Amino acid sequence: MSDIKRIETGPRMSQAVIHNGTVYLAGQVGAPGASVAEQTRAILAGIDRLLAEAGTDKTRILQATIWLASMDDFAEMNAVWDAWVAPGHTPARAAGESKLATPDYKVEIICVAAL
């Protein structure tokens, strides 16, 4: 049986879990009430930080799931995402509209990456 490592573990969830050479990130959100672009930038910075702590980086992201409170914000989020994602290392990705934890959250991103 392989080891499981948890990063930033709290009573409800861990921000990242590493198992069998794969890193699973919890849904990441930005500052409540900030713009879609600001939230997306903060989320991607948090993803960079968590992946670095796990021993990997954005070029190793296998899959990303992006939830938007409104698909009207798709282009604004994509402008930030496209500037951040590593050319030639784009992950499998899905994006959809969902009611998020509070109305102040406009974007949530979940990633799975390889070590």
Side-chain angles (χ1 to χ4, degrees):
M1 193 180 280
S2 62
D3 290 332
I4 297 173
K5 179 182 177 186
R6 299 174 197 283
I7 297 172
E8 295 184 21
T9 300
R12 179 172 290 152
M13 64 185 214
S14 296
Q15 289 300 312
V17 176
I18 304 166
H19 179 256
N20 276 347
T22 305
V23 181
Y24 303 87
L25 297 186
Q28 302 298 304
V29 294
S35 72
V36 170
E38 291 167 334
Q39 287 189 23
T40 304
R41 276 192 288 278
I43 291 165
L44 298 177
I47 289 170
D48 282 334
R49 180 185 58 76
L50 286 166
L51 291 176
E53 189 170 343
T56 191
D57 62 51
K58 68 184 173 184
T59 67
R60 309 278 295 162
I61 296 175
L62 304 170
Q63 182 180 34
T65 304
I66 302 171
W67 292 115
L68 295 161
S70 171
M71 287 304 289
D72 293 342
D73 297 326
F74 188 64
E76 185 177 350
M77 177 279 301
N78 270 331
V80 177
W81 172 274
D82 291 347
W84 173 81
V85 74
H89 298 279
T90 53
R93 194 188 98 163
E97 182 176 294
S98 179
K99 186 180 250 187
L100 300 178
T102 75
D104 292 332
Y105 290 125
K106 297 177 173 116
V107 183
E108 183 171 357
I109 301 177
I110 305 157
C111 291
V112 176
L115 284 179

